[in-house]
């Protein structure tokens, strides 16, 4: 399997803080790779640098063999699509028009037939053809997320970089989005996504990266990621991996509940 | 209604209004029926249509350039408003709020007060400086938020308005009078000469906005989205900003400050035709031009003295906008 992403000696500084101290990892093609890590650990920064949206201090990033630099914008956008963590929708664009903007990098002043075609394919892939004429301002969070992913799909890139695509979604929409990603991978695309739900990550991911103390590492396959010690190190809390019926679930290891005091303690003076 | 049909309806209505406006004027001077006969004669190539007759002079020398200029000003302001709203991802933005109008007004007032400097270039310079100032103040922080952008625009606008007052304060009474008249809108001085001066920059800016209308959708969705698609949002935003500044400044130089016109019209259009800028920008231009011609007709014919167009649009626009705000789903984000 050839590498979709090759990162070596990457260091990223944001202001005074060195967010990524060391990252030398690679991600294989046609796999669903998940990035795990605590809030603020640098997952998003890593993804943005890999997408060429943030400058790096040192190191090398190659996406499908092509050097990624913020300067190589247009070329990079043909290789990888990027989904930001969050967005605010201001104008009530129709879903179809919203998705069509994903073609902005390759189309000129007006979308061509090929652009409309790609947008239509993206809508079909995301399973939201029925939403086509709805204003994006009136969608539910789950629907909007599918529309945003369709927008990135319309770019028609072999590599997709997604930052927390399922955060804020209910379990049904989470499964819908992750199933879509799995289908895309089955169809030959490479997906790299940040997820916060370790259980769903273990369920859907093929490959795992994790960010710990500014270092990005790759876990040695899905089995290694089920390791409680590793998960506890990543999240800094006691965790347990239980495996009912083959699927692994990551659950917190809570201290035994203390009996609640009958009377509220008097406030300190 | 299908969109080509709707566009046709818009165009037919616009043409009718422009044509009909030839027949409107302050009562007494020229009879509307007579004017209609004259126009009909001109169109059919009949007799009695000598351009140098009194009627011919009024219709072709005074009314036609004024109507065309008014249309151009309305179209340019509305298209600029639509463009600015998209690039700043904010439906509250218009050339006035961004400080362009105040900057251009200051520049033009300075030119009038000096008595020697040319009005048009100074208006553009003023508008350009104002918008550049807003932009720089807001983008001092690395990712300029739209809120910062508007705050900066409001502050810059305030500074230039104060500057305008200073210019008025130090000007002699005669110049003061012409500055005040001009600030309130000087469409009544329109002739072919002023149309020739305003048309190239106003049309260039408007045409660029029209060409960019689809790409405005991408800019309106967000910077991350634009960058993912391989588009430099900063560069394209600057281009649209430049187009809007050129168009607006040249309008201000001839029509004075028409506050909020660029805010009302795109909202009304979006309410009817949806948010897609491929429709919003051209329809804003057509509707903006048509509406301003209509308003100017009213301004010319309602009273024996002319109300300044800026005052008129504000008095009529504000209630309309309040109704729109309350009744319609305007695309404010949550």
């Amino acid at each position: 399997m050839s590498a979709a992403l090759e990162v070596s000696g990457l260091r990223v500084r944001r202001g005074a803080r060195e967010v990524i101290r060391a990252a030398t990892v690679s991600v294989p093609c046609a796999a669903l790779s998940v990035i795990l890590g605590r809030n603020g650990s640098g997952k998003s920064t890593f993804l943005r640098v890999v997408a060429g949206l943030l400058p790096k201090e040192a190191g090398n990033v190659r996406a499908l063999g092509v050097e990624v630099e913020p300067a190589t914008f247009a070329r990079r956008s043909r290789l990888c699509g990027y989904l930001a963590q969050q967005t605010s929708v201001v104008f009530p664009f129709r879903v179809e028009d919203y998705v069509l903007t994903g073609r902005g990098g390759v189309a000129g002043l007006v979308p061509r037939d090929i652009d409309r075609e790609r947008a239509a394919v993206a809508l079909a892939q995301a399973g939201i053809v029925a939403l086509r004429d709805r204003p994006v301002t009136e969608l539910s969070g789950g629907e909007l997320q599918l529309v945003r992913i369709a927008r990135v799909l319309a770019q028609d890139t072999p590599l997709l970089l997604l930052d927390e695509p399922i955060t804020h979604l209910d379990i049904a929409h989470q499964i819908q989005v992750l199933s879509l990603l799995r289908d895309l991978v089955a169809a030959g695309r490479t997906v790299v996504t940040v997820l916060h739900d370790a259980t769903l990550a273990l369920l859907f991911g093929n490959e795992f990266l994790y960010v710990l103390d500014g270092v990005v590492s790759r876990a040695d396959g899905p089995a290694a990621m089920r390791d409680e010690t590793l998960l506890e190190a990543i999240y800094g809390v006691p965790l347990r991996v239980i495996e009912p019926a083959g699927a692994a679930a990551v659950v917190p290891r809570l201290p035994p509940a203390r009996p609640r005091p009958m009377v509220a303690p008097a406030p300190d003076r | 209604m299908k969109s080509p049909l709707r566009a046709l309806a818009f165009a037919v209505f616009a043409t009718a209004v422009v044509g009909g406006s030839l027949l409107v004027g302050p009562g007494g001077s020229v009879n509307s029926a007579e004017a209609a006969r004259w126009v009909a004669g001109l169109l059919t190539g009949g007799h009695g249509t000598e351009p140098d007759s009194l009627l011919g002079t009024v219709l072709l020398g005074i009314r036609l350039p004024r109507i065309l200029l008014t249309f151009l000003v309305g179209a340019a302001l509305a298209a600029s408003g639509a463009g600015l709203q998209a690039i700043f991802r904010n439906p509250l933005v218009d050339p006035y709020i961004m400080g362009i109008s105040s900057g251009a007004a200051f520049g033009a007032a300075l030119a009038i007060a000096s008595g020697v400097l040319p009005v048009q270039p100074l208006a553009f310079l003023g508008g350009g400086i104002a918008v550049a100032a807003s932009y720089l103040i807001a983008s001092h922080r690395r990712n300029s938020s739209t809120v910062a952008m508007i705050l900066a625009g409001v502050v810059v606008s305030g500074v230039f308005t104060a500057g305008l007052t200073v210019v008025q304060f130090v000007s002699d009474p005669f110049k003061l009078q012409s500055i005040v008249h001009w600030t309130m809108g000087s469409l009544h001085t329109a002739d072919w000469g002023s149309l020739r001066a305003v048309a190239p920059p106003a049309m260039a800016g408007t045409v660029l906005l029209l060409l960019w209308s689809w790409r405005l959708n991408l800019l309106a969705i967000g910077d991350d989205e634009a960058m993912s698609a391989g588009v430099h949002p900063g560069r394209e935003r600057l281009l649209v900003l430049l187009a809007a500044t050129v168009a607006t400044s040249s309008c201000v130089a001839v029509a004075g400050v028409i506050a909020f016109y660029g805010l009302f019209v795109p909202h009304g259009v979006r309410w009817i035709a949806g948010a897609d800028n491929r429709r919003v920008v051209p329809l804003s231009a057509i509707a903006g031009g048509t509406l301003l011609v209509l308003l100017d007709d009213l301004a010319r014919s309602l009273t024996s003295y002319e109300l300044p167009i800026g005052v008129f649009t504000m008095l009529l626009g504000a209630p309309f906008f309040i109704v729109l705000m309350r009744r319609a789903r305007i695309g404010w984000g949550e």
Side-chain angles (χ1 to χ4, degrees):
Chain A
M1 233 179 334
S2 62
L5 261 186
E6 287 169 283
V7 179
S8 61
L10 179 70
R11 283 192 290 130
V12 183
R13 184 177 285 283
R14 300 195 80 172
R17 201 164 78 93
E18 187 163 55
V19 182
I20 305 287
R21 287 193 295 125
T24 300
V25 286
S26 68
V27 159
C29 280
L32 178 52
S33 300
V34 178
I35 306 177
L36 296 171
R38 275 180 238 180
N39 285 133
S41 60
K43 303 183 299 296
S44 295
T45 303
F46 176 71
L47 210 60
R48 289 179 78 88
V49 170
V50 167
L53 305 187
L54 274 184
K56 53 188 185 275
E57 191 170 66
N60 226 309
V61 179
R62 296 171 80 81
L64 300 162
V66 174
E67 194 79 24
V68 172
E69 287 285 348
T72 56
F73 234 54
R75 193 154 61 123
R76 193 265 310 143
S77 71
R78 287 168 174 74
L79 294 177
C80 62
Y82 167 78
L83 180 75
Q85 205 174 97
Q86 55 198 1
T87 195
S88 56
V89 288
V90 178
F91 295 101
F93 290 115
R94 287 166 62 247
V95 165
E96 200 173 28
D97 295 330
Y98 189 94
V99 171
L100 190 57
T101 62
R103 305 293 302 167
V106 286
L109 292 176
V110 274
R112 305 154 299 174
D113 285 341
I114 176 86
D115 300 317
R116 271 187 286 274
E117 212 171 277
R118 289 278 183 270
V121 169
L123 283 172
Q125 276 178 323
I128 49 170
V129 176
L131 298 179
R132 202 169 41 197
D133 291 319
R134 296 261 305 275
V136 287
T137 40
E138 287 173 14
L139 300 177
S140 74
E143 289 168 334
L144 179 63
Q145 204 62 339
L146 288 167
V147 170
R148 294 182 66 218
I149 293 172
R151 210 196 81 88
V152 179
L153 289 177
Q155 256 177 266
D156 198 26
T157 54
L159 177 59
L160 296 166
L161 307 170
L162 314 174
D163 199 351
E164 293 189 31
I166 62 166
T167 305
H168 304 307
L169 301 188
D170 63 39
I171 182 80
H173 279 104
Q174 288 186 328
I175 293 169
Q176 195 180 352
V177 168
L178 290 172
S179 304
L180 167 64
L181 299 186
R182 193 165 59 182
D183 294 345
L184 291 170
V185 166
R189 303 222 205 179
T190 305
V191 176
V192 180
T193 178
V194 172
L195 295 179
H196 271 307
D197 189 318
T199 300
L200 287 174
L202 287 174
L203 201 59
F204 283 88
N206 314 123
E207 295 290 334
F208 298 88
L209 303 179
Y210 56 91
V211 188
L212 186 55
D213 295 328
V215 179
V216 185
S217 321
R218 180 169 159 194
D220 196 11
M225 203 62 237
R226 294 186 185 192
D227 179 39
E228 289 177 356
T229 331
L230 178 58
L231 285 166
E232 286 185 345
I234 292 172
Y235 291 108
V237 287
L239 290 172
R240 225 149 50 92
V241 177
I242 54 174
E243 305 197 14
V250 180
V251 294
R253 203 193 288 273
L254 292 176
R258 279 180 300 175
R260 302 181 70 152
M262 296 297 287
V263 185
D268 292 334
R269 283 192 179 268
Chain B
M1 214 191 302
K2 286 228 169 66
S3 56
L5 214 60
R6 184 159 42 199
L8 188 71
F10 259 90
V12 167
F13 185 63
T15 316
V17 166
V18 168
S21 299
L22 272 177
L23 314 180
V24 178
S29 63
V30 171
N31 183 305
S32 293
E34 234 176 279
R37 261 199 304 281
W38 194 88
V39 172
L42 188 70
L43 292 179
T44 54
H47 53 88
T49 58
E50 298 77 27
D52 47 355
S53 67
L54 171 69
L55 201 54
T57 309
V58 168
L59 292 181
L60 294 185
I62 299 174
R63 286 191 188 170
L64 189 59
R66 177 176 183 151
I67 291 163
L68 292 178
L69 187 70
T70 309
F71 190 91
L72 190 59
V73 166
L77 284 179
S80 299
L84 292 174
Q85 288 172 7
I87 58 170
F88 292 119
R89 308 189 62 216
N90 196 317
L92 289 175
V93 162
D94 88 331
Y96 176 71
I97 289 173
M98 293 310 299
I100 303 176
S101 304
S102 310
F106 173 75
L110 211 57
I112 295 172
S114 77
V116 287
L117 295 169
V119 176
Q120 275 275 353
L122 243 71
F124 174 67
L125 199 65
I129 290 173
V131 79
S134 311
Y135 201 76
L136 288 177
I137 294 170
S139 59
H140 184 64
R141 304 187 311 157
R142 264 200 62 181
N143 47 355
S144 55
S145 73
T146 50
V147 177
M149 196 70 222
I150 290 171
L151 280 178
V154 169
V155 170
V156 168
S157 189
V159 169
F160 276 102
T161 306
L164 179 64
T165 311
V166 171
V167 172
Q168 290 175 347
F169 198 73
V170 298
S171 297
D172 64 65
F174 286 114
K175 278 176 183 156
L176 175 62
Q177 200 182 11
S178 67
I179 292 175
V180 168
H181 268 248
W182 169 85
T183 332
M184 294 192 301
S186 53
L187 286 172
H188 59 278
T189 63
D191 55 16
W192 290 107
S194 58
L195 184 62
R196 261 196 299 275
V198 175
M203 282 172 80
T206 309
V207 165
L208 190 67
L209 289 166
L210 289 171
L211 287 177
W212 234 254
S213 54
W214 179 58
R215 302 191 69 79
L216 287 175
N217 283 359
L218 178 56
L219 297 171
I221 281 173
D223 281 8
D224 279 337
E225 284 79 358
M227 287 194 284
S228 166
V231 170
H232 284 278
R235 288 183 198 170
E236 296 211 7
R237 193 180 291 134
L238 208 60
L239 185 80
V240 174
L241 195 57
L242 190 72
T245 306
V246 169
T248 303
S249 306
S250 53
C251 291
V252 170
V254 67
V257 176
I258 302 180
F260 302 120
Y261 194 69
L263 182 68
F264 301 146
V265 176
H267 271 297
V269 168
R270 226 176 265 128
W271 184 37
I272 297 168
D276 184 359
N277 284 302
R278 278 176 291 176
R279 260 173 279 156
V280 172
V281 179
L283 291 184
S284 290
I286 295 174
T290 312
L291 184 65
L292 203 64
V293 170
L294 274 177
L295 290 175
D296 190 47
D297 286 346
L298 286 178
R300 281 191 290 154
S301 55
L302 275 189
T303 53
S304 51
Y305 52 93
E306 267 194 49
L307 277 170
I309 187 77
V311 174
F312 218 70
T313 51
M314 196 65 221
L315 289 178
L316 285 176
F320 159 78
F321 195 68
I322 291 166
V323 170
L324 198 62
M325 254 176 77
R326 295 180 62 93
R327 289 269 177 83
R329 306 178 275 110
I330 304 182
W332 324 103
E334 240 60 47

